[in-house]
Amino acid sequence: MRRLQAVLFDMDGTLVDTEGVWLDVVESAAVRRGRALDAGRRTAVTGRSVEDSAELLHAYLDTPAEELAAELGGDFAARLAVAVAPRPGALRLLAALRERRVPTALVSASPRAVVDQVASTLDGHRFDALFGSEDTVRTKPEPDPYLAAAVALGAEPARCVAVEDSPTGVASAVAAGCRVLAVPSTEPLLDFAGTEGVTLAGSLTEVDPELLNSLVG
């Protein structure tokens, strides 16, 4: 890979099928309080940290943000401890990048404990850097996580490809100056069609190192 310096992966909904689990956790918290999670709020919490989601929802759910964050984070971690399923094509792509010695990072808005937990399940793949929501002052949709990951790998953001599934994550990677491969899971990403530096794909099964390399050419 002459041009590609690193691949920076989002976690939830991108490498592992957890975005639906997260939305179910938030939906359950709302139902316990006699409220429904409408489409707009579902979109708002997709790809965001536990703390940001709690801030967005605490008034609607009439629950202090700190209390709500603790509840959501605990429920999410408990659900992931039962089973984590990789997204189609994820393990194959990670193996291909490892074979070509392309550095990789896991860049998530989930708590670092959850990131460590999930990273250990991905067929033994060893990421060169891991970032959770606590590891930067600001998390997605701000650019900080992707900028920090590029620095950690000694790479230029413009020569990194960020692989993302949510509008929040794509916005973060674009703001950091990365090239972005957008692979939707629970939320459509058609609003990013035609955005400079963003390429849409239907599934990771369509992706290989050569395609990622071409995005930074």
Side-chain angles (χ1 to χ4, degrees):
M1 301 287 104
R2 296 195 313 274
R3 298 180 297 270
L4 179 65
Q5 291 184 340
V7 182
L8 315 177
F9 286 97
D10 171 57
M11 186 179 78
D12 298 306
T14 298
L15 286 181
V16 289
D17 195 12
T18 54
E19 204 69 87
V21 174
W22 168 244
L23 290 174
D24 188 50
V25 164
V26 180
E27 185 90 54
S28 296
V31 169
R32 283 194 292 271
R33 292 163 173 83
R35 306 303 298 265
L37 199 67
D38 57 40
R41 290 185 173 88
R42 286 173 63 88
T43 297
V45 301
T46 299
R48 288 188 180 269
S49 70
V50 171
E51 292 76 15
D52 284 352
S53 297
E55 283 292 339
L56 287 169
L57 294 174
H58 79 92
Y60 178 65
L61 299 182
D62 191 25
T63 305
E66 185 174 338
E67 177 185 329
L68 184 58
E71 178 183 333
L72 295 175
D75 287 355
F76 187 49
R79 290 281 297 275
L80 295 189
V82 175
V84 178
R87 297 282 291 170
L91 298 182
R92 178 193 55 80
L93 179 57
L94 290 173
L97 291 169
R98 181 169 61 242
E99 181 180 335
R100 290 162 177 77
R101 298 184 179 179
V102 178
T104 58
L106 194 55
V107 185
S108 177
S110 285
R112 179 57 186 270
V114 172
V115 173
D116 291 341
Q117 175 184 335
V118 172
S120 68
T121 71
L122 291 170
D123 200 28
H125 182 80
R126 294 185 63 84
F127 292 92
D128 297 282
L130 297 172
F131 287 87
S133 61
E134 310 96 318
D135 293 321
T136 52
V137 174
R138 303 180 301 176
T139 189
K140 303 174 186 179
E142 303 298 335
D144 304 35
Y146 281 109
L147 290 173
V151 169
L153 300 185
E156 303 168 32
R159 293 180 67 183
C160 296
V161 175
V163 186
E164 272 285 356
D165 78 302
S166 71
T168 299
V170 172
S172 172
V174 168
C178 299
R179 298 295 183 265
V180 183
L181 182 71
V183 186
S185 57
T186 62
E187 295 292 326
L189 297 174
L190 295 180
D191 288 349
F192 290 97
T195 300
E196 184 177 357
V198 178
T199 300
L200 301 182
S203 167
L204 290 181
T205 60
E206 305 170 7
V207 182
D208 56 27
E210 288 67 36
L211 171 61
L212 297 174
N213 191 46
S214 73
L215 300 183
V216 298

